[in-house]
Amino acid sequence: MQESIYFVTRRTTPAIVGGVAASFLVVLLGMAPLLLSASMLDRLTTLFVYIMLATGWNALAGFAGLVSIGQQLFFGLSAYATIRLSDAGMPVFLAMLASIAVVGAFAVPVSWLMLRLREGEFAIGMWILAELAHFIVNLDGVVQGETGTSLIALATFSAEVRQALIYWTGLASVLTLLGIFLFLIRGKIGLAIQAIRDNEEAAQSLGVETLNAKRTVFLFAAVCAATAGVLWLATAITFQPKTFFGVQWTAYMIFMVLVGGIATFEGTILGALIFFLVELVFGPFGVWYLIGLGASAILFSLVFPRGVWGSVESRLGLDLAAVRYRIRMSKEGGRNGKPS
Amino acid sequence: MVWVNQVAQGVLLGGYYAMVACGLSFMFGVMRVINLAHGSLAVSSAFCLWVIADVYGVSPFLGLFLVVPLLAFVGVVLQRAIIERSMRAGVLVPILSTFGLSIVFDNLLFETFGADTRSLAPFIGDLPYEAWPVYGDIYVGKLAVVTFGCSIVIIGSISVFLSRTQWGRAIRATAQDPDTVAMTGVNPRAMAALAAAIATATAAVAGAFLAIRATFDPYSGAPQLVFAFEAAVIGGVGSLWGTLAGGVLLGVAQSIGAQVNSQGFMIAGHATFLLVLLLRGYLMERYLRFRFEFLTGKR
């Protein structure tokens, strides 16, 4: 019987080890509120926000080739929606969830408009949309212009309960989003968007539904930014339009993804972790810290375009998330040198 | 009458926007690069002029004779060190690297000059305050007219340069096909550097007018970039006279919006930009469908 000596697989030892280690880590993170101090919990929630921001941007730019400088649109809008809904009397955690849904639904018509644009026009078009949203939100009396307002409804919880609840919400959200991200890039959409990124016309001519694939990723990225915005509001409590609609959020996303490794799953998390540590150590330097962020964005985009994880992956062939297919030789075929 | 006045002021404001936008539009249309540091470069020029005026007492208009060549040189360095390398790495990389550069520029300016807002208006006599009566209650500021005039001169000179001179033709040829240009004995890298130098030189002049007509601070670059980009896209990227028209449309929309509401200035400008994009996309689709049907004999 003629049987191929080669087979295609995603299951590699590092991927299995990675999966097991990740499960342990998740269990450990789930128990964190029982073990860690309040300030550590807040820091971890911040890390979750960074991972979400990096995930959305990496899906959009790294996999779909859509560079946006306006993801703060969804970040700010969902925070604003939470304020608005909570002000209208909705229970605060329900308002947080509803805001993500509202912003996700809002991203659908936005995608109709913006996905017509290409490359640089899309990038800055998104930025302008975010600016427009910022000034329209300023018109709402509840926000009190640039002065801002607070999510007072959270004050009904005691500090400890509040921190633990927000932490668990953050953990659950980041796991859900990473899960969807992995599902997207491992599945048909992942193939389609990477084909589009590499050559849109060629992909189209092969029958890839380019607009659908792009829209899916665009919506995913919007939901990532929206979830991050809601959680940031929950930890920061105060809502100032200028901060939430600031372009610095996108600068952070770009830094995390470029440094961690564009178009890699592991690089997204690694980039967020690096950014988190960099901010912890260099944040107090203020302006010089920002200069460093900008300079590393230039350095990585020009000199190390694959980022830290990209280099690791290409050197060691490591794939902890089982995203890539590999060709393996079957055992007998390998030993005998001929098909069994 | 109020509305006529707002429109008149808006048209003149559009002259300023066209000035910031023409370098950006030129780079985007001809060299296929969006330089996100364009606004920050204009603000850097404003700070240079401010130092020259404040420390050495030299008029900003004279200072431009120093700052324009300086920024043109910065443009060459920028092209060689960053843009050229990024373009080799892919179409999207220049967006990322020049965005990083703008963050570096803005924060270096902040580190050097602090958060104070400044203006060049005190250094140029009574030009910022004088106005000419046009009709009834309508006055036009001398400065606004001078700005508009400069804008026309700059755009006109670049247009003539591109269409009539040897170097201009070489730049356009380089944009289309650098390899073939190299075979004709023209150095495409030098032409790209020349184009970048022209673009940043216009940013230097725009910076001067930004600083004269209003106040500026280290983070003023981002809004200038956004306005410039809007004017360039509304007018049709790469068309320099179109950029002037785009700037005028943006200026008129903003000053009419400002009359309606205090936030209206920004909202009307951004909304106009998005509306133009939407309309353009719709018309393009209609046109392509019509052409497809025409060519396939269905019409």
Side-chain angles (χ1 to χ4, degrees):
Chain A
M1 203 175 89
Q2 198 74 4
E3 208 179 292
S4 171
I5 58 169
Y6 298 106
F7 62 99
V8 176
T9 181
R10 277 172 157 170
R11 198 170 298 164
T12 61
T13 320
I16 296 167
V17 172
V20 173
S23 322
F24 271 114
L25 190 65
V26 166
V27 173
L28 214 59
L29 283 172
M31 296 192 299
L34 312 173
L35 308 169
L36 295 176
S37 69
S39 67
M40 286 299 284
L41 272 192
D42 252 6
R43 290 223 168 115
L44 277 179
T45 313
T46 308
L47 175 63
F48 296 156
V49 170
Y50 291 161
I51 294 177
M52 289 173 210
L53 291 173
T55 303
W57 204 80
N58 204 358
L60 203 58
F63 287 90
L66 293 163
V67 169
S68 157
I69 307 187
Q71 292 306 99
Q72 64 271 24
L73 167 69
F74 306 115
F75 187 87
L77 273 184
S78 69
Y80 165 69
T82 309
I83 293 274
R84 204 82 197 67
L85 291 174
S86 161
D87 188 69
M90 196 183 266
V92 65
F93 280 93
L94 191 63
M96 285 161 65
L97 201 65
S99 307
I100 299 169
V102 166
V103 173
F106 168 74
V108 176
V110 171
S111 75
W112 294 335
L113 174 63
M114 300 316 285
L115 289 180
R116 290 168 188 276
L117 307 180
R118 297 189 68 165
E119 292 158 18
E121 293 196 357
F122 172 80
I124 307 185
M126 287 297 297
W127 187 2
I128 289 170
L129 209 56
E131 292 284 303
L132 182 61
H134 173 189
F135 292 108
I136 290 177
V137 163
N138 272 358
L139 291 178
D140 187 341
V142 171
V143 175
Q144 305 175 57
E146 297 290 6
T147 323
T149 181
S150 302
L151 192 60
I152 25 176
L154 272 178
T156 52
F157 298 91
S158 76
E160 279 163 26
V161 174
R162 187 182 70 215
Q163 258 157 346
L165 279 177
I166 292 169
Y167 172 84
W168 274 317
T169 316
L171 182 62
S173 320
V174 81
L175 290 177
T176 313
L177 290 173
L178 283 175
I180 299 174
F181 184 38
L182 206 52
F183 171 78
L184 280 179
I185 60 177
R186 280 171 54 111
K188 215 174 153 189
I189 297 270
L191 279 180
I193 54 178
Q194 290 179 68
I196 296 168
R197 174 195 63 199
D198 296 338
N199 189 334
E200 184 159 354
E201 278 78 17
Q204 216 157 18
S205 69
L206 288 172
V208 174
E209 299 246 15
T210 55
L211 203 59
N212 265 338
K214 281 207 265 186
R215 182 167 302 134
T216 311
V217 178
F218 184 85
L219 294 183
F220 172 69
V223 169
C224 282
T227 316
V230 165
L231 272 170
W232 191 263
L233 175 68
T235 49
I237 311 234
T238 48
F239 174 78
Q240 279 180 309
K242 215 176 209 153
T243 316
F244 275 78
F245 285 101
V247 74
Q248 81 272 13
W249 294 108
T250 299
Y252 299 160
M253 295 178 207
I254 294 177
F255 174 86
M256 290 188 276
V257 172
L258 283 182
V259 172
I262 197 162
T264 62
F265 177 82
E266 302 90 333
T268 315
I269 302 172
L270 185 66
L273 202 60
I274 293 175
F275 177 65
F276 176 73
L277 294 175
V278 163
E279 201 196 24
L280 216 58
V281 178
F282 297 103
F285 290 91
V287 174
W288 284 106
Y289 154 72
L290 292 170
I291 295 172
L293 284 191
S296 19
I298 303 174
L299 185 74
F300 272 89
S301 65
L302 293 183
V303 187
F304 311 109
R306 313 179 58 152
V308 174
W309 188 263
S311 315
V312 171
E313 192 179 41
S314 66
R315 294 253 168 82
L316 306 177
L318 220 53
D319 180 7
L320 297 184
V323 174
R324 291 172 212 287
Y325 289 98
R326 278 146 215 283
I327 296 179
R328 285 288 164 92
M329 231 179 254
S330 72
K331 285 222 170 88
E332 284 118 82
R335 212 179 296 136
N336 303 336
K338 58 182 175 195
S340 50
Chain B
M1 213 54 193
V2 174
W3 299 104
V4 178
N5 185 41
Q6 288 304 104
V7 170
Q9 306 307 332
V11 170
L12 291 174
L13 179 61
Y16 165 69
Y17 289 149
M19 194 187 286
V20 203
C22 67
L24 191 80
S25 171
F26 171 61
M27 279 299 270
F28 191 14
V30 180
M31 305 310 292
R32 302 261 119 234
V33 179
I34 297 189
N35 176 11
L36 292 187
H38 192 78
S40 305
L41 284 168
V43 174
S44 309
S45 150
F47 272 105
C48 288
L49 291 168
W50 183 83
V51 168
I52 292 172
D54 192 57
V55 180
Y56 302 101
V58 178
S59 149
F61 290 117
L62 283 176
L64 272 178
F65 284 98
L66 189 70
V67 174
V68 167
L70 178 72
L71 255 85
F73 176 69
V74 171
V76 173
V77 175
L78 177 76
Q79 170 71 25
R80 280 289 161 93
I82 292 181
I83 295 178
E84 208 175 78
R85 282 157 162 268
S86 332
M87 283 183 78
R88 256 181 276 147
V91 262
L92 294 168
V93 182
I95 302 176
L96 300 176
S97 55
T98 55
F99 185 64
L101 190 69
S102 75
I103 297 172
V104 172
F105 267 19
D106 293 357
N107 288 292
L108 277 177
L109 287 174
F110 184 83
E111 182 62 31
T112 319
F113 294 99
D116 295 350
T117 54
R118 293 180 168 82
S119 176
L120 284 179
F123 301 106
I124 51 161
D126 48 14
L127 181 65
Y129 316 108
E130 295 229 329
W132 285 304
V134 178
Y135 176 80
D137 291 343
I138 299 173
Y139 287 85
V140 291
K142 271 189 187 171
L143 178 62
V145 175
V146 170
T147 312
F148 198 90
C150 277
S151 185
I152 290 178
V153 169
I154 291 176
I155 289 176
S157 344
I158 298 179
S159 299
V160 170
F161 171 76
L162 281 179
S163 57
R164 299 254 182 264
T165 67
Q166 198 63 37
W167 277 6
R169 282 190 285 268
I171 286 179
R172 283 187 295 146
T174 304
Q176 283 188 357
D177 188 346
D179 296 336
T180 312
V181 165
M183 284 194 285
T184 65
V186 174
N187 180 353
R189 287 185 69 204
M191 285 305 124
L194 176 64
I198 293 172
T200 48
T202 66
V205 183
F209 281 96
L210 161 74
I212 292 170
R213 55 180 289 281
T215 59
F216 63 99
D217 64 57
Y219 296 114
S220 299
Q224 305 312 311
L225 174 74
V226 167
F227 293 148
F229 183 80
E230 286 178 329
V233 170
I234 291 174
V237 166
S239 152
L240 288 168
W241 293 113
T243 301
L244 182 63
V248 167
L249 188 63
L250 180 66
V252 170
Q254 285 182 341
S255 65
I256 288 177
Q259 187 68 30
V260 178
N261 180 296
S262 61
Q263 304 273 349
F265 182 82
M266 299 299 257
I267 293 178
H270 294 331
T272 305
F273 167 77
L274 291 170
L275 221 61
V276 168
L277 277 189
L278 195 67
L279 201 67
R280 205 184 59 183
Y282 171 74
L283 289 177
M284 196 65 196
E285 226 153 72
R286 283 288 297 270
Y287 167 72
L288 287 177
R289 186 163 304 152
F290 173 78
R291 213 174 68 162
F292 175 75
E293 284 173 0
F294 184 78
L295 290 174
T296 49
K298 283 185 188 147
R299 203 181 272 245

